[in-house]
Amino acid sequence: LLAVFCINTFLWPALHVGTRNFRLDLYSVPIQQTARYALYHKDEVTEEEYEILNKVFDYEQLAANYDPEIIDPVKNLLQNDEQGLTYLTILNKEYIRVWIQQGLKHPATYIQSFLNGCYGYFYPDRKEYKEGLGWYISWQIYDTSKFETNFVENRGDLRQALEKLAYDLRQLPGIGILYSCGIYTWFTLAVTLILCIMKKWKAAILSIPLLVNILVCMVSP
């Protein structure tokens, strides 16, 4: 924690390295809930709510872009002002008020939105979302005008073989289960429970960072 704090607070600014607005990730759960509300209860949105939400998002596209398992399609609809500041930051209090109002009307919709976004962390047979493992092809997401990646041309077959091996191992009984997030969640919960039953409190304390990690994943984008 200390290392990450020092890097983000002192090292990156000193090297003039730009960073993302990480505060947006704190709104991952509310944003998804707002999008699900727009999908299932659009007729109940009041004029006042619409006025605020339409400034924060491209609201007319919100329901169509809602993906239950990932926030990116909805986050891409967030709108900025002329200075580049997101309206979610500018209208923070107004948005939170609308979010609470709608949540009180349909709490089940909010609960379903949350569970859809994190259930994979509890299902050992749930495979990786979207691009899968993507170990050797993830470089394609970068903007080549800002981030240049070169490959040794005569090693293409080797790279493809390594990637195929990774995916083949994913299909093997026993080994394949170790690729899944869910198995580690249940291992962590089981170990913590056993330590508590055995009253090994000092050892159980060491599970706290692991449990916090799971909770952070559950509310992540």
Side-chain angles (χ1 to χ4, degrees), residues 38-103:
L39 177 63
Y40 290 102
H41 312 291
K42 189 173 183 178
D43 293 340
E44 299 183 36
V45 177
T46 66
E47 291 184 3
E48 180 187 5
E49 292 173 347
Y50 179 85
E51 183 179 354
I52 294 172
L53 293 176
N54 197 43
K55 286 183 179 179
V56 175
F57 306 94
D58 181 357
Y59 194 73
E60 292 300 323
Q61 302 299 320
L62 198 59
N65 281 266
Y66 171 65
D67 183 327
E69 295 192 42
I70 191 167
I71 191 178
D72 289 351
V74 171
K75 193 192 297 185
N76 291 337
L77 297 177
L78 289 170
Q79 304 199 92
N80 300 328
D81 67 1
E82 295 178 354
Q83 283 72 42
L85 292 174
T86 173
Y87 279 107
L88 181 60
T89 303
I90 300 171
L91 299 174
N92 177 268
K93 293 182 180 179
E94 291 84 351
Y95 170 72
I96 293 298
R97 177 168 52 80
V98 171
W99 173 71
I100 292 174
Q101 288 175 187
Q102 294 184 338

Side-chain angles (χ1 to χ4, degrees), residues 32 36 40 66-70 108-120 126 218:
Q32 282 290 79
R36 191 178 182 90
Y40 290 102
Y66 171 65
D67 183 327
E69 295 192 42
I70 191 167
T109 298
Y110 276 24
I111 294 171
Q112 290 164 1
S113 172
F114 175 71
L115 294 178
N116 271 278
C118 67
Y119 80 92
R126 179 68 171 92
M218 289 175 66

Side-chain angles (χ1 to χ4, degrees), residues 39-220:
L39 177 63
Y40 290 102
H41 312 291
K42 189 173 183 178
D43 293 340
E44 299 183 36
V45 177
T46 66
E47 291 184 3
E48 180 187 5
E49 292 173 347
Y50 179 85
E51 183 179 354
I52 294 172
L53 293 176
N54 197 43
K55 286 183 179 179
V56 175
F57 306 94
D58 181 357
Y59 194 73
E60 292 300 323
Q61 302 299 320
L62 198 59
N65 281 266
Y66 171 65
D67 183 327
E69 295 192 42
I70 191 167
I71 191 178
D72 289 351
V74 171
K75 193 192 297 185
N76 291 337
L77 297 177
L78 289 170
Q79 304 199 92
N80 300 328
D81 67 1
E82 295 178 354
Q83 283 72 42
L85 292 174
T86 173
Y87 279 107
L88 181 60
T89 303
I90 300 171
L91 299 174
N92 177 268
K93 293 182 180 179
E94 291 84 351
Y95 170 72
I96 293 298
R97 177 168 52 80
V98 171
W99 173 71
I100 292 174
Q101 288 175 187
Q102 294 184 338
L104 292 175
K105 292 179 184 177
H106 293 283
T109 298
Y110 276 24
I111 294 171
Q112 290 164 1
S113 172
F114 175 71
L115 294 178
N116 271 278
C118 67
Y119 80 92
Y121 291 108
F122 297 90
Y123 278 67
D125 62 343
R126 179 68 171 92
K127 291 186 178 181
E128 299 80 13
Y129 182 73
K130 205 174 179 180
E131 71 272 7
L133 302 179
W135 292 346
Y136 301 97
I137 60 173
S138 61
W139 64 273
Q140 295 175 354
I141 67 174
Y142 293 106
D143 182 352
T144 54
S145 66
K146 298 179 181 179
F147 189 94
E148 183 178 353
T149 304
N150 296 300
F151 288 102
V152 180
E153 292 183 6
N154 62 0
R155 295 292 186 270
D157 291 342
L158 176 60
R159 289 194 297 272
Q160 292 177 11
L162 288 171
E163 184 170 6
K164 184 177 184 301
L165 175 63
Y167 283 100
D168 288 344
L169 289 174
R170 179 69 174 82
Q171 306 304 319
L172 292 179
I175 294 178
I177 201 70
L178 299 178
Y179 279 67
S180 173
C181 293
I183 194 68
Y184 297 102
T185 298
W186 288 111
F187 270 139
T188 302
L189 296 175
V191 167
T192 304
L193 179 61
I194 291 171
L195 290 174
C196 290
I197 292 174
M198 296 174 66
K199 297 184 179 181
K200 294 185 178 292
W201 306 117
K202 290 184 179 180
I205 289 175
L206 297 178
S207 297
I208 293 177
L210 304 178
L211 296 172
V212 170
N213 184 51
I214 294 172
L215 293 174
V216 170
C217 287
M218 289 175 66
V219 298
S220 71

